[in-house]
Structures are given as structure tokens and as C-alpha cells.
Amino acid sequence: MIARIISIGTELTLGQCVDTNAPWIAQQLAGVGIACGGHVTVPDDRHAIRDAIKSSVRDAKWVVITGGLGPTPDDLTREALADALDSALHLDRASLDRIEAFFRDRNRTMPRANECQAMIPNGAVPIENTCGTAPGIRARLDAADVYLLPGVPSEMKAMFERDVRPSLHSTGDQAVIRQHVLHTFGLSEADLGQKLADLMTRGRNPTVGTSAADLVITLRINGHGATPDAADGLIETDVTEIRRRLGRHVFGDGSDTLAHAVGLLLGDQGETVAVAESCTAGLLAKRLTDVAGASAYFLEGMVVYANASKQRMLDVPGELIEAHGAVSKEVAESMAVNCRRISGARYALSATGIAGPAGGSPAKPVGTVYLGLASPESVQVKELRLGATLTREQVRDRTVKIALNMLRLELLRRKE
Amino acid sequence: MIARIISIGTELTLGQCVDTNAPWIAQQLAGVGIACGGHVTVPDDRHAIRDAIKSSVRDAKWVVITGGLGPTPDDLTREALADALDSALHLDRASLDRIEAFFRDRNRTMPRANECQAMIPNGAVPIENTCGTAPGIRARLDAADVYLLPGVPSEMKAMFERDVRPSLHSTGDQAVIRQHVLHTFGLSEADLGQKLADLMTRGRNPTVGTSAADLVITLRINGHGATPDAADGLIETDVTEIRRRLGRHVFGDGSDTLAHAVGLLLGDQGETVAVAESCTAGLLAKRLTDVAGASAYFLEGMVVYANASKQRMLDVPGELIEAHGAVSKEVAESMAVNCRRISGARYALSATGIAGPAGGSPAKPVGTVYLGLASPESVQVKELRLGATLTREQVRDRTVKIALNMLRLELLRRKE
């Protein structure tokens, strides 16, 4: 028993807006144990909408449609639903009264154009819109319950919470899907696949899936159960096992980031950090301070883009730059050590490299970066070869993530 | 002649991720005059993917598919495409060599699991992946060109730009949609609506639409024509007229950013800039250096998060911080003036404020920010009250945009 979601709007099919309604609805459905078999996005075209509805009801028990209920001529979903139902539209008095009241409450008279929003297909029932003008529509088509909701997210969500979800509950399907998200760093998707092969076999409950986004690989554990507790129990077992197998490669849950993980460790240990950045030019400091309360451990950053700045702000010897180049192990080390000394922070991270697109050489192609980490008793330097095909943005993003992970691992070592 | 887009991933159908690939691809297609007839999102299910492909090619001339090309067992798009093509998979040597080289370049050996990424359906051709391991696949099915691209946005976009778009151009479709994008800053969407009302009337060609994203309001001018030149001609007339009406509020085209506009002006005038940041903590420097070649005008940044850093790095008098607080007009002015003096840059921007969620007070609620701009003959200070309801991320983002726009307007004044 699956659901299908239909999003309507030419602005969506042309890609001028990102559809956030479908994912939100899919999550709500999952929360009450209804798996979504797929989403379809169609333009404001009466035939296309009708066809999408008709093909969705073939295998879905629930079809949730959003969009195309506005008062303008390009809003055709009401008509298309009537077509799919093989019925005509009628003016629903109660809905019209509510729309008129909506305007009256705002000391306005209803524009004639809004009257069409009270048109409902014969045999369907309106769903009250408590924060807008367009009522939703509920209809039965073949074996499916069809819900037509406004495209405006706030109106759609209010209507879903108030009318749709309760009616879904009453379908008697009590199974729930719960999800847990783990973020990993330092293993490839293939490595993860090998370490977790048995947990990722198809049809298993929970399901374990991976998705990669610029070096961070996220694991999604979805557990199905008769009750929330049952589902949570299954998930917890997997999460514990995955954490055991992956160890330090797991850096967080849910919405955690590497900066968040570093912040927690610094906070726990009462330590501080400062950064010296050339190629990342502020991004490392920015990421560390994305975390609310970062002022407890983040002291300062020196964005030494020009060589003169490296010398003046960080006492990097001009001869060192002369001898090895600004992008070198030696300069990265000097930046980290001096940043730590000058700032008085317990740890200092440094980054110098070639973000591109220009500035590469055979010896040091674009994507060559040197990272430094100065700690109380030691300094580490790491050479990165991120690959000359990455964009400037990617080189900088990955550099920062690898630097944050260096500090994270160092802090974990300290913890023992 | 329409296109269809298929997005693959259970994380998408369950609503755990928002699909940004489909809208991006739809925009690229519109840019070359190909209208997208709809998007479909299907889970990592071999049959569901095959069915989606087969039904898409019924009426589409182009089908672009993303996702499910990873090396893990839940990546089934290759197999599903082979099913749709009624053919088998074979190991593509050249692709395998490239994948192995990808790992070698990073001083790693290819995990066995990645080998499957070199499997290509018989009769299909691989598309090189210049920034990841999974090659794309191009195939012909019925009357449609089918492109299978990775789900990782950065890899997908690089592949689309490099291989897919050029091959689309060569299809010689007639009636074209061309798009021109203008970015504005400082006017509300309502202001724009009034100034451009006559150009925004429904059914007009070109169509002029606005979309707002965190203070930047973007105008999309879509022109339909029998030929690219005809469409471009229509657009050009509108663009010229819009630029005339909006003047300095327009800061760029296409993918331009405020930082890009500032960089062009600094470059033209042979000037330099440095920044002193507290609440934005590196984001201002990062945005300025997002622009390739920024080293020509960006000297350095001082991320003075701690008050001690404000005093030591920027000579901000401790008494000044005592008397007015770190978040004050006076401190912002001192930061900008001293940053300009110390760095030797011709211009210096400063930002100090309360990004939240904590740290607000009745007098200085979250979203209170002071910006400084030190120029050769003057210093300006601006107080922002961005609103306590914004997230930390939004406060920092808007602060940086307003600061960059301050500098942009100052540089434009100089130009005269």
C-alpha cells in the first residue's frame, strides 16, 4: 500500500522553484507508516494533470496533490481533477462563504476572480483552508483517496496537519517508519558498502542507505515497525552496530556538521582554536562559527591572502616563502605554529593552497593544498591533492572539511 | 518536443532530501529552448526505475536521469537502464581505467566495489566524470536521447556542462525559449512589481518574473522566438529597459554575485580591500574570494571574534569596547578605520553584531549589526536591525550582502 505525490506548477517543471512540498509530505506519510512510491511534477496543463492523477491511482492507495488552486487562469487543477473523476464542477456555497469571510476579516471585498476557488468536482468534498482562500479537495478515485492541497507551503502544511493526517490514521495502517541519520567522514562510499554490506542487503528491516555530498557520506537507517518504539528499537540496534564498525569515521547524527563535532570536543575539553587561512580565505573560520556559541572556543582568524599579510600578521619569514613558495608544507607549518603562538589559542589550523581555476603548475596543480595543525606538543602538516578538475568552491569546501576532521581526530586522541 | 527528468533515490521519495538536481537541469534545458514536460522521482527500485524510463521516452525527445550510479548495492540505475534498453551490461575498460586513475591520483587503490561503476549497457556510451568516479551513460531509446548522470550535484553539473548541453545544442530544435537573468539589490519585490508592472503582464513575450532569495531579487526574462536570435532580440530590449528603470539596483547578470560586482569595480579602479569581521567571522572574506582572481584586490581579513583579538589585531581601544560594547557604531568604525590603516588596503569593511540565537538584549536584539566602510577620505557606519526572527545563518548572510553592496555603491560613486 503506497502513496504517490503530485506537484503541479510550470514554475516547478521549468525549474524556477525548488519543490519542498513533496519531500515534506513524503516525510509526513513515512511518519504514519505510509511509504511513498514516487513523486511526479507536472506543468499547469489540464491534460497533463489529469493524466498524472489517473496513472497515480493505478497502484497507490493515497494520492496527495499540491498546487494549481489559485484564482488565476493558469490554475487548472480543479478542472483536471474533475476530468479525472469524469464529473463536473459545482459551486460550493460553504466554501464561497468562507472565502468571502476571509476577505471581510481583512476589510476587503472578495475579488470576483476568487469565486472559482469555491468550485468543487461533483462527488468530492472541500477541505477547509484555515490560513488562505483556496479550499482543498478530497475525492475517491478507484481504490485511492485523493487529496488536493494548495501549493503555498504554509497553507498546505496547515491543511495536511488538520485534515489529511488524521484521515490517514483512520485508514487503519498502524505501521510506522522511523529514521536515523549518521554522518561519516574519511571512508569512501565503497568502503562503507563493504563494511556494512550485510546491513544494506535489500528488503532488510531496517534499510540502510548511503548518500554522498562532497566528502561527507551520510547513512540513512529507516526502520519499519508496528509501533514507534518497535521501529526505534530496530534502528537503535543498527545505529549501535554501525557506530561500532565505523568508529571515528562517524562524526555526527541528524543535522550535525564537522564544525559541530569539533565544537563539542573543544567545549568538553575547555580548549580554544584559532585559524590562519590563505586559500580558504575565511571559510574555515566561518564554518567553525556557524555553530551557535562558538565564541566559547573560537578566538580569531587571520585571512592572510597576500604574502605581505602572511609575513606581517603571522611572522612567516619572507625567505621561507621565497624558498618554498607560499603554497608549501613549510609555510603551512609556520602559519599554524605562529597562529597558535600569536593568538594564544590551544590549537591552530592553517591552510594554504591553489583553489584555482588559475595558479596551478605541473608540480603544484590546482587542488594542491597544505594544511597545518599546531597542538600543544606537536605540529602536523598534511598535503592534499584534491584533483585539478574540482571547482574553486569544491577545493575550498573540501579543504575546510579535511582540516576540521584533522582537528576532530586530534581532539579525539586527546580525549583518551 | 519536450524533455523529461527522472530523479532516483529512496532518500528523495521518502523526503529525506530535497531534490535540487531536477530544477537545475530543467533551467539548463529551458536555457537552450527545451521545455521540460515534467519530473518523476522514483526510489532505488530496479523495476520502478525501468518503468519510469520506459514511460518517459514515450513522449520525450530528451530524458535526463540522475542518481543511483554509486558503488553500493542500493545503486541500481545502471541495471534498470539496461533493462529498459533490453540489453546487458558490459565492463567498459576505458571507464574502469579512469576510475582506477581517479584513486591513483589520490594515492589510493580502487576498492573492488567501484568496479561496478564501469559497467555500461550494451549499445550505450559512457560519459566521462571529471570530478568523481561514476561515469555517466548516454543511450538512445526509441526516439529519445537518454542521459544518465550522477546524483552528486557537483558531478552532475560538471557532466551536464561539459557533455550534455553541447549535445543538446546540436539537436536543432526550432521554437526556442531563451532566458536572461538580472540580479537586483535594495528594492523590494513589490517595488519591482510597480516599476515593471507593464513588462510583467501575463501572456506577454518575453515574460518577466521575479524571485527573491535573502535580499537579492532576481528577474527572469524568458523570451520565446522562432530562432535563438529572435528570442534574444526580444530579451535584449527588455533587459535594456529594465536596467534603465532600475539603475544601480541591478548588480549583475546570470551567475553574478555582489562579490563579483565588487571585484569588477575594484579591478577596474586598481583598488584593494581588506576586511575586519566579528559576527560574520570570515564569511565576508570568503565571499570576496569566491571570485577567481580576487588576489588582485583582496589583501587580507581579520576575524576578531574575541574582544582581545579586536584589541590586539585591530588596535580597537579596550575603553571603547568597555564604553559602548563590542557591538556598537563606535567599535565598527574603529575596526574599519584601523583595518584600512594596518592592512594598507584602499578600502576596509567591518562588521560587528549579534548573529544569535543567543546574545540579544532589548536594546540590541539578535539581528543588530554595525557595518563600517573606511574609504580614502571618509568612513561610513551603518546600523542594521535585521530582525530577531532570522536564523544565525540568515543574519550573517544578509550582513555580508549589505556590506558588499555598501562597497559597491561607494565604488560606483567613485567611478563618476
Side-chain angles (χ1 to χ4, degrees):
Chain A
M1 298 218 300
I2 60 159
R4 295 200 170 274
I5 298 170
I6 304 174
S7 303
I8 291 158
T10 302
E11 76 281 10
L12 297 174
T13 52
L14 279 182
Q16 290 172 344
C17 297
V18 172
D19 179 18
T20 56
N21 283 347
W24 185 87
I25 292 165
Q27 281 198 357
Q28 308 313 308
L29 293 170
V32 294
I34 297 172
C36 178
H39 314 166
V40 183
T41 309
V42 293
D44 295 300
D45 175 285
R46 187 165 170 172
H47 298 307
I49 300 168
R50 181 202 57 200
D51 295 348
I53 297 171
K54 290 188 121 179
S55 69
S56 295
V57 296
R58 280 198 208 106
D59 66 348
K61 187 172 182 335
W62 301 273
V63 176
V64 183
I65 308 167
T66 62
L69 290 180
T72 51
D74 62 347
D75 295 300
L76 301 163
T77 311
R78 280 175 295 265
E79 288 79 355
L81 177 60
D83 295 345
L85 291 166
D86 258 319
S87 75
L89 291 164
H90 69 275
L91 183 74
D92 180 69
R93 261 270 139 238
S95 298
L96 184 61
D97 293 345
R98 272 197 292 268
I99 297 171
E100 282 167 344
F102 178 91
F103 283 96
R104 210 179 310 109
D105 295 348
R106 288 156 181 75
N107 305 314
R108 294 165 53 196
T109 50
M110 184 190 82
R112 253 211 150 304
N114 288 84
E115 192 175 299
C116 71
Q117 297 187 300
M119 300 298 285
I120 305 291
N122 300 330
V125 288
I127 307 174
E128 183 178 352
N129 186 336
T130 54
C131 45
T133 56
I137 298 173
R138 181 177 177 174
R140 182 92 189 160
L141 182 50
D142 298 347
D145 287 314
V146 178
Y147 300 89
L148 176 48
L149 309 178
V152 180
S154 55
E155 297 180 23
M156 179 279 289
K157 290 176 182 177
M159 207 177 274
F160 189 97
E161 303 283 8
R162 185 169 175 276
D163 289 289
V164 181
R165 187 185 283 113
S167 72
L168 293 173
H169 273 303
S170 70
T171 59
D173 181 352
Q174 294 309 322
V176 294
I177 305 174
R178 304 281 277 212
Q179 40 198 245
H180 190 97
V181 170
L182 289 176
H183 302 292
T184 73
F185 196 88
L187 286 172
S188 73
E189 213 170 349
D191 298 333
L192 283 172
Q194 287 174 340
K195 288 182 187 293
L196 307 178
D198 55 320
L199 307 179
M200 293 176 76
T201 48
R202 300 200 66 71
R204 182 174 168 279
N205 179 25
T207 60
V208 177
T210 62
S211 59
D214 295 304
L215 299 188
V216 171
I217 300 187
T218 296
L219 289 161
R220 289 199 170 69
I221 301 100
N222 294 304
H224 303 243
T227 66
D229 289 356
D232 289 339
L234 287 168
I235 287 173
E236 212 173 300
T237 314
D238 266 21
V239 169
T240 309
E241 177 59 16
I242 290 168
R243 282 185 171 279
R244 190 186 65 69
R245 293 190 198 178
L246 304 184
R248 296 178 170 193
H249 292 296
V250 175
F251 69 80
D253 306 271
S255 59
D256 291 350
T257 62
L258 282 163
H260 185 262
V262 165
L264 283 177
L265 289 164
L266 286 168
D268 292 348
Q269 299 176 32
E271 303 291 19
T272 55
V273 65
V275 299
E277 308 181 65
S278 184
C279 59
T280 54
L283 183 58
L284 185 47
K286 186 267 179 185
R287 289 273 172 88
L288 279 163
T289 56
D290 279 338
V291 181
S295 53
Y297 50 82
F298 178 77
L299 299 186
E300 63 189 46
M302 303 170 190
V303 180
V304 288
Y305 217 52
N307 286 346
S309 306
K310 293 180 181 72
Q311 296 178 50
R312 202 196 71 253
M313 290 173 76
L314 279 168
D315 298 340
V316 177
E319 313 72 59
L320 201 70
I321 299 176
E322 276 297 313
H324 307 282
V327 176
S328 62
K329 267 194 173 54
E330 293 76 8
V331 168
E333 177 170 348
S334 169
M335 284 169 67
V337 170
N338 298 354
C339 176
R340 180 170 181 275
R341 175 173 50 75
I342 295 167
S343 67
R346 183 98 162 147
Y347 297 93
L349 281 167
S350 69
T352 178
I354 299 152
S361 69
K364 293 174 183 174
V366 167
T368 304
V369 179
Y370 296 92
L371 295 176
L373 169 57
S375 307
E377 300 84 24
S378 66
V379 55
Q380 306 167 44
V381 183
K382 194 183 185 99
E383 180 188 68
L384 311 182
R385 298 277 174 156
L386 297 170
T389 57
L390 294 187
T391 65
R392 181 178 178 84
E393 188 71 21
Q394 290 173 308
V395 169
R396 290 167 23 123
D397 171 68
R398 294 181 185 201
T399 296
V400 166
K401 284 173 177 160
I402 295 166
L404 289 172
N405 197 54
M406 259 173 100
L407 178 55
R408 183 179 73 91
L409 295 176
E410 174 69 15
L411 290 166
L412 283 172
R413 273 190 288 278
R414 298 274 161 160
K415 221 170 146 183
E416 291 155 0
Chain B
M1 299 219 295
I2 59 161
R4 295 200 170 272
I5 298 169
I6 303 175
S7 303
I8 291 157
T10 301
E11 75 279 12
L12 297 175
T13 52
L14 282 181
Q16 294 170 339
C17 295
V18 172
D19 179 16
T20 56
N21 283 347
W24 186 87
I25 292 165
Q27 279 199 4
Q28 308 313 308
L29 293 171
V32 295
I34 298 172
C36 179
H39 315 166
V40 183
T41 309
V42 293
D44 294 301
D45 176 285
R46 186 164 168 170
H47 298 307
I49 300 168
R50 181 204 56 200
D51 295 347
I53 296 172
K54 290 187 123 182
S55 68
S56 294
V57 296
R58 276 195 213 109
D59 65 348
K61 186 170 181 339
W62 302 272
V63 176
V64 184
I65 308 167
T66 62
L69 290 181
T72 51
D74 61 346
D75 295 301
L76 301 162
T77 310
R78 279 176 294 267
E79 287 79 355
L81 177 59
D83 295 345
L85 291 166
D86 256 320
S87 75
L89 292 164
H90 69 276
L91 183 75
D92 181 69
R93 260 272 138 233
S95 297
L96 184 60
D97 293 346
R98 271 196 292 269
I99 297 171
E100 282 166 346
F102 178 92
F103 284 96
R104 210 178 310 110
D105 295 348
R106 288 153 181 77
N107 304 315
R108 296 168 52 197
T109 50
M110 183 190 84
R112 227 171 170 343
N114 286 84
E115 196 174 294
C116 71
Q117 296 186 299
M119 299 298 286
I120 306 291
N122 300 330
V125 288
I127 307 173
E128 184 178 352
N129 186 335
T130 54
C131 46
T133 57
I137 299 174
R138 182 177 177 174
R140 182 91 190 161
L141 181 50
D142 299 347
D145 287 315
V146 178
Y147 300 89
L148 176 47
L149 310 178
V152 179
S154 53
E155 298 180 21
M156 179 279 290
K157 290 177 183 177
M159 207 178 276
F160 190 96
E161 304 282 10
R162 186 169 174 278
D163 288 288
V164 181
R165 186 185 282 113
S167 72
L168 293 174
H169 273 302
S170 68
T171 57
D173 189 0
Q174 282 323 316
V176 294
I177 310 170
R178 303 279 274 205
Q179 185 177 67
H180 191 98
V181 169
L182 287 177
H183 302 292
T184 72
F185 197 88
L187 286 172
S188 74
E189 223 169 343
D191 296 336
L192 284 171
Q194 285 176 344
K195 289 180 186 294
L196 307 177
D198 54 321
L199 306 178
M200 294 176 75
T201 49
R202 289 196 75 73
R204 184 174 166 278
N205 179 26
T207 60
V208 177
T210 62
S211 59
D214 295 303
L215 299 188
V216 170
I217 300 186
T218 296
L219 289 160
R220 284 200 180 70
I221 301 101
N222 291 306
H224 303 244
T227 66
D229 288 355
D232 290 340
L234 287 167
I235 288 174
E236 211 174 302
T237 313
D238 268 21
V239 168
T240 309
E241 176 59 16
I242 291 168
R243 282 185 171 279
R244 191 187 63 70
R245 293 190 197 179
L246 303 183
R248 293 177 172 195
H249 292 296
V250 175
F251 69 79
D253 304 274
S255 59
D256 290 351
T257 62
L258 283 162
H260 185 260
V262 165
L264 283 177
L265 289 163
L266 286 168
D268 292 347
Q269 298 176 31
E271 303 291 18
T272 56
V273 66
V275 299
E277 307 181 66
S278 184
C279 60
T280 52
L283 184 57
L284 186 46
K286 187 267 179 187
R287 289 275 171 85
L288 279 163
T289 56
D290 280 338
V291 181
S295 52
Y297 50 82
F298 177 78
L299 298 185
E300 63 189 45
M302 302 168 191
V303 179
V304 289
Y305 217 52
N307 286 346
S309 306
K310 292 181 182 70
Q311 296 178 49
R312 202 195 71 254
M313 291 172 77
L314 279 168
D315 299 340
V316 177
E319 314 71 59
L320 201 70
I321 299 176
E322 277 297 313
H324 307 281
V327 177
S328 61
K329 268 195 175 55
E330 293 75 7
V331 169
E333 176 169 348
S334 169
M335 284 168 67
V337 171
N338 297 355
C339 177
R340 180 171 181 276
R341 176 174 49 77
I342 296 166
S343 67
R346 183 99 164 144
Y347 297 93
L349 282 167
S350 70
T352 178
I354 300 153
S361 70
K364 293 174 183 174
V366 167
T368 304
V369 179
Y370 297 90
L371 295 175
L373 169 57
S375 307
E377 299 85 24
S378 67
V379 55
Q380 307 167 43
V381 183
K382 195 183 185 97
E383 181 187 68
L384 310 181
R385 298 276 174 155
L386 296 170
T389 58
L390 294 187
T391 64
R392 181 178 179 83
E393 190 70 22
Q394 287 172 308
V395 169
R396 291 169 18 126
D397 171 68
R398 295 183 184 201
T399 296
V400 165
K401 284 172 177 161
I402 294 166
L404 289 172
N405 197 54
M406 261 174 96
L407 178 55
R408 183 179 72 92
L409 295 176
E410 174 69 16
L411 291 165
L412 283 172
R413 272 190 289 276
R414 298 273 160 164
K415 222 171 146 183
E416 291 153 1

